[in-house]
Each structure stands twice: as C-alpha cells, then as structure tokens.
Amino acid sequence: MLRGAGEDRPATAGRYVALLRRRLRTGDLAAGAIALAGAVLFAADLALAGAGLPGAALFAAAAAVIGATALVVGLRACGRPESLTDWPAAVREAARDAVRDPGGSALVLVAVATAVLCAWMLVPLAFLAPGPLAPALTAVDVRLAGRTDGATAAPTRPLAR
C-alpha cells in the first residue's frame, strides 16, 4: 500500500483487502513458518549458551551477530516488491541490499529495537508493533532504490546548506 501511494495509486480499503488476499498464499505461509522455526531455534541456542557451557560467551556473541543478520535480511525481504511473487528472489536481493546498504540495515535494526521497546513498555502494544515496521521497511527499500537510480543522474538543483 505504501509503495503504491508513492506511485500515485490510491490507498483504499478495497485495495488493502485485495493486497492482503494476495499475501494469503502457501509461499507466504511457508516463509512465516520458516521464520518462526528460526526464531525458536535461535532462542534455544541462546538458552543453551546461558546454561554455562564452555565457550558460551563466544557462542552467544556469534549467535547474536548471525541472528541480527538473519533478522535484517528477512525483514528487508518482506519489504521488497518481489516478496509478492518470489520469496527466494526477494531474500537474495535483500541479502545483497544488506551488504550494499549498511546504513539501511542499521535503520532496520533501529526500527526493530523501537518496536520491541514499545512492546516491552506496554505489553498490549506487542500486537501493534509490526505496524510501524512496515513503513520503516518500505522507506529503507525506497531510499536505496532512490540512491541507485539517481546515482548516475546529475543533480538538478543545488543542495541547501
């Protein structure tokens, strides 16, 4: 919806319901199940690291880096238009974007941290926390697209100081 509003397509309730119906397909449900399984495995790994096993501190640090990377790539894939039709392509492009645009990846992590903090402060907000993530993910994707499209074009007006 957000991407369409930027392309002069009206944001109506009917269009929202139609887009939501397009998301109820087996590929989206499988992607959600894989994400849920990954989150459970990550939590189990961190629980094992907290049990006092040898090398737990190094393992916990490595798991945190891997988990943050997987979170960024997964969320960036959700924000890509390819996720409507082809999840593997969306994940590949999101991984490339995460490497090419570390600033955008940091913005995704800040958006997740903000959503988690809001949910932690007021538990009923946990159900609303994904809402602010959608515009953040779309903005990061549009920001990167705007930088790559305009990289070859000369500026048309001077920059304000």
Side-chain angles (χ1 to χ4, degrees):
M1 289 293 295
L2 294 171
R3 194 178 307 277
E7 297 169 354
D8 294 330
R9 287 183 287 192
T12 63
R15 187 164 174 268
Y16 177 75
V17 170
L19 287 173
L20 194 58
R21 280 190 186 143
R22 283 181 62 189
R23 283 293 194 179
L24 293 176
R25 53 188 187 96
T26 56
D28 291 332
L29 297 175
I34 289 170
L36 185 61
V40 168
L41 180 63
F42 181 70
D45 284 345
L46 289 182
L48 285 174
L53 298 175
L58 180 62
F59 176 77
V65 169
I66 292 168
T69 303
L71 181 67
V72 166
V73 170
L75 287 174
R76 286 187 86 142
C78 289
R80 294 196 57 83
E82 294 91 3
S83 68
L84 286 170
T85 56
D86 188 9
W87 272 105
V91 171
R92 278 191 304 273
E93 289 300 315
R96 286 188 193 112
D97 289 348
V99 172
R100 277 190 311 218
D101 183 26
S105 298
L107 289 172
V108 169
L109 287 176
V110 167
V112 169
T114 303
V116 168
L117 183 65
C118 288
W120 171 77
M121 288 190 309
L122 192 58
V123 176
L125 289 180
F127 297 105
L128 301 175
L133 286 176
L137 297 173
T138 303
V140 166
D141 189 50
V142 169
R143 173 184 158 270
L144 180 63
R147 279 193 342 186
T148 57
D149 291 344
T152 58
T156 57
R157 59 187 167 122
L159 298 173
R161 294 189 188 242

